[in-house]
Amino acid sequence: MKTSHGVASSLLLRLDSRSPTPLHEQLFEGIRARILAGALAPGLRLPSSRQLATELEVARSTVLQALDALTAEGYLVARAGSCTRVAPELPILAGDRSREPALPAASRTSLTGERVLGRGPGASRGSRFSTAAQTPGSVARRQGASRGPRLAASVRTLKFTPVGAPRLGAAPRAFRPGVPALDLFPTALWARTVSRVHARASTGLLDGGDPSGHAPLREAIATHVSVSRGVRCSPEQVFITAGTQQAFDEVLRLALNPGDPVWVEDPGYPGVRRAVLSAGGRPVPIPVDGDGLDVGVGLTRAPRARVALVAPSHQYPLGVTLSLARRMALLQWAERTRSLIIEDDYDSVFRHRGRPLTALQGLDDAGCVVYVGTFSKSMFPGLRLGFLVVPPSLVDVFSASRAAAPAPASTLEQAALAVFLAEGHFARHLRRMRAAYRERGEALLDALNADCSGLLTPRPCDTGMQVCASLATPLSDLRVRDEAARRGVEVAALSDYFLGRRRESGLIFGFGGVRPEGMRAGTRTLAQALEAARRGRRPSR
């Protein structure tokens, strides 16, 4: 309850020590729910951690763990030596719609050209996709004639190859982005799991499997993302894919009419633009700043976009997190316009300290978000297994679109991964990788500061396995990239990730595949490339 001085004397929460959910998670969810419901008002001062620990009869460390997680996600603000308050500028909260601006119901065109009314009282959430969208043949006929030219155009638009870069599939060099710590993967354990599954394979496993995915794997994934990412779903909402790119393609081809605008992050992952162009959509670049995708700019450039494709928990390549205010604004936009949000969650499980942030899907009450995940980064790229979690209202649509399709991946490998998750091996592997990436990220930052200080400025890194660093002007990141490649070091140029006007020059470093002791060799070579680029000369032969 609140006092006249804006202080919560008590949170009126109860924790259940008998629940399998850890106490700090119960406290996190309890406070977050009260904030989102408006029971804890913006700017309200919370009781001290000691007072809360006494009131709830738990250890103070439990309270601090929950408060730290809430602060990391933007629900609370805390200053050293001061009090903790509810964030003062929270957006319109669930349960408090009175301040929401009224927009006229907008008409939209479905996949078949059918007019579909925007959300209003009694509107069906499932109308984001027409019933005809459930027929894969209609999608194929609509897109088949023009897909080839669109795909060719997307390749011409997005193709870039660093000078001196190795052929695709060659052994990675420092600092190739996107390469996980394959040296730490439990290969022997995985091999034993695969061997055991193969030895016990039933006729059903050998028969090709369910087009939606192996049922035990869908169950294991639903459990995993619910616990680790705050995703709210049942196994029926989970569909197995051959990776992130297939997930993008599948959702976009079901959701888009030719020419439909799609918000894409700028700078952002080039595969997103390829998927939008291949599906016939029109990518609309929306700038990304320190708070993530600028929703306000999106509302100006394409207020009725059909889809927004975002990486809210760990954006690539900048590594920023979508702020809570923008998360809520994005969800409210999608609900008002009946648009779809595709949440790309490729590596946010690798948060270096504290719990991973809650997925955007966990805040979605309107069925707007399709959550996309992959095991290519958390396991190994050759596995080529991913998944998407669709809103309940779209389960039938995706099931129908899969009906005539082959299984997305080997059922035997799906079964082995299901066992790997169910037996706890995957969770233990993630914990080990978080510690390893924290160590490797810190080693890279130290090496860059030691060898390249003054020429580039690394951004803070608290998640994932890459670092973005800004280059001092007037250095060209394209020239530095090429100079580094000639010397045997791989970095990506930030300029290559912009769809609109290039606003910054920088480099992307992947540290996942580089041991800590190997960082300095790479950064010393990079320093030589930086100097050569600065002077405009090439290395001697």
Side-chain angles (χ1 to χ4, degrees):
M1 59 185 177
K2 307 172 189 177
T3 72
S4 59
H5 301 289
V7 180
S9 58
S10 172
L11 297 186
L12 302 178
L13 293 174
R14 289 187 178 182
L15 306 183
D16 183 2
S17 60
R18 296 169 295 180
S19 170
T21 303
L23 293 175
H24 68 273
E25 287 290 340
Q26 293 183 45
L27 182 56
F28 170 87
E29 292 292 346
I31 296 177
R32 187 180 73 156
R34 290 178 64 76
I35 291 174
L36 291 176
L40 297 177
L44 185 71
R45 177 177 174 177
L46 296 188
S48 70
S49 58
R50 287 187 176 86
Q51 181 180 339
L52 283 175
T54 301
E55 174 187 334
L56 299 171
E57 298 181 341
V58 296
R60 187 182 176 217
S61 59
T62 298
V63 175
L64 290 173
Q65 196 171 355
L67 296 182
D68 287 346
L70 289 161
T71 302
E73 297 204 12
Y75 295 98
L76 302 178
V77 292
R79 296 179 179 176
S82 184
C83 62
T84 298
R85 295 182 181 274
V86 178
E89 295 183 357
L90 287 176
I92 301 167
L93 303 172
D96 183 15
R97 304 282 182 176
S98 59
R99 294 173 292 164
E100 186 169 353
L103 294 181
S107 61
R108 302 201 55 87
T109 305
S110 75
L111 290 174
T112 59
E114 166 189 352
R115 301 302 285 181
V116 179
L117 292 181
R119 177 176 293 279
S124 169
R125 292 177 181 174
S127 60
R128 283 188 178 83
F129 295 83
S130 74
T131 54
Q134 301 176 26
T135 307
S138 67
V139 180
R141 286 192 296 273
R142 179 176 58 84
Q143 296 179 340
S146 59
R147 184 178 298 164
R150 288 201 308 268
L151 190 56
S154 72
V155 171
R156 289 193 299 270
T157 301
L158 300 168
K159 183 177 180 181
F160 62 90
T161 303
V163 175
R167 295 187 307 276
L168 191 65
R173 305 178 292 185
F175 298 94
R176 183 187 294 180
V179 178
L182 300 179
D183 57 311
L184 298 180
F185 182 73
T187 307
L189 176 60
W190 173 250
R192 289 195 299 271
T193 304
V194 171
S195 178
R196 177 158 44 103
V197 169
H198 283 212
R200 301 175 181 176
S202 64
T203 304
L205 281 181
L206 300 176
D207 192 35
D210 185 341
S212 296
H214 185 52
L217 178 57
R218 297 169 74 186
E219 294 171 6
I221 289 173
T223 299
H224 166 68
V225 296
S226 296
V227 173
S228 66
R229 301 293 293 113
V231 172
R232 297 178 291 180
C233 70
S234 65
E236 291 73 24
Q237 295 172 245
V238 178
F239 292 82
I240 306 303
T241 69
T244 298
Q245 203 65 40
Q246 185 201 341
F248 293 161
D249 290 341
E250 181 174 3
V251 178
L252 290 169
R253 285 171 182 169
L254 283 172
L256 296 180
N257 281 315
D260 275 349
V262 177
W263 290 3
V264 297
E265 296 173 324
D266 192 38
Y269 174 54
V272 166
R273 305 167 215 168
R274 284 193 288 268
V276 173
L277 290 170
S278 180
R282 175 171 61 87
V284 179
I286 308 300
V288 175
D289 58 24
D291 288 325
L293 181 91
D294 193 328
V295 177
V297 173
L299 293 174
T300 299
R301 292 184 178 176
R304 296 292 174 181
R306 190 72 180 106
V307 177
L309 212 159
V310 299
S313 296
H314 187 228
Q315 198 269 346
Y316 186 86
L318 297 182
V320 298
T321 299
L322 189 64
S323 69
L324 177 62
R326 289 188 180 177
R327 287 177 184 234
M328 300 301 290
L330 183 63
L331 289 170
Q332 291 159 9
W333 163 78
E335 183 176 2
R336 287 196 302 265
T337 61
R338 303 206 46 71
S339 302
L340 204 65
I341 300 168
I342 302 176
E343 178 177 10
D344 179 12
D345 201 31
Y346 71 101
D347 76 345
S348 60
V349 292
F350 296 130
R351 187 166 173 83
H352 300 169
R353 289 180 174 81
R355 66 191 294 281
L357 302 182
T358 304
L360 181 69
Q361 193 269 5
L363 296 173
D364 176 28
D365 292 323
C368 301
V369 178
V370 174
Y371 177 88
V372 174
T374 178
F375 292 98
S376 294
K377 298 295 186 289
S378 53
M379 295 278 283
F380 54 92
L383 185 60
R384 299 194 181 282
L385 275 175
F387 61 93
L388 51 88
V389 178
V390 306
S393 60
L394 300 181
V395 168
D396 289 344
V397 174
F398 279 82
S399 296
S401 75
R402 290 284 186 100
S410 163
T411 308
L412 287 170
E413 289 216 320
Q414 292 186 58
L417 181 56
V419 172
F420 202 74
L421 268 71
E423 294 183 348
H425 305 311
F426 183 68
R428 285 189 290 273
H429 174 62
L430 288 185
R431 288 195 293 270
R432 186 184 183 194
M433 290 300 96
R434 289 185 189 118
Y437 290 148
R438 179 176 66 245
E439 180 185 18
R440 294 183 180 195
E442 291 173 350
L444 174 59
L445 292 176
D446 290 344
L448 289 174
N449 289 328
D451 296 322
C452 306
S453 179
L455 293 176
L456 55 79
T457 304
R459 298 174 185 264
C461 173
D462 59 10
T463 305
M465 48 190 178
Q466 70 267 341
V467 164
C468 180
S470 299
L471 274 169
T473 54
L475 277 175
S476 163
D477 53 6
L478 300 175
R479 175 181 282 275
V480 174
R481 177 201 66 193
D482 295 346
E483 291 288 353
R486 294 187 185 99
R487 291 168 167 80
V489 169
E490 292 184 64
V491 290
L494 182 58
S495 293
D496 282 324
Y497 293 89
F498 284 99
L499 181 60
R501 181 179 62 84
R502 292 179 173 87
R503 303 187 303 275
E504 183 180 351
S505 182
L507 301 174
I508 314 300
F509 298 82
F511 56 78
V514 186
R515 293 177 180 270
E517 59 271 19
M519 299 290 180
R520 288 300 298 273
T523 54
R524 290 188 183 108
T525 302
L526 178 66
Q528 297 171 6
L530 286 164
E531 183 62 22
R534 189 177 68 84
R535 295 182 178 180
R537 62 178 176 83
R538 294 189 176 185
S540 57
R541 296 287 182 183

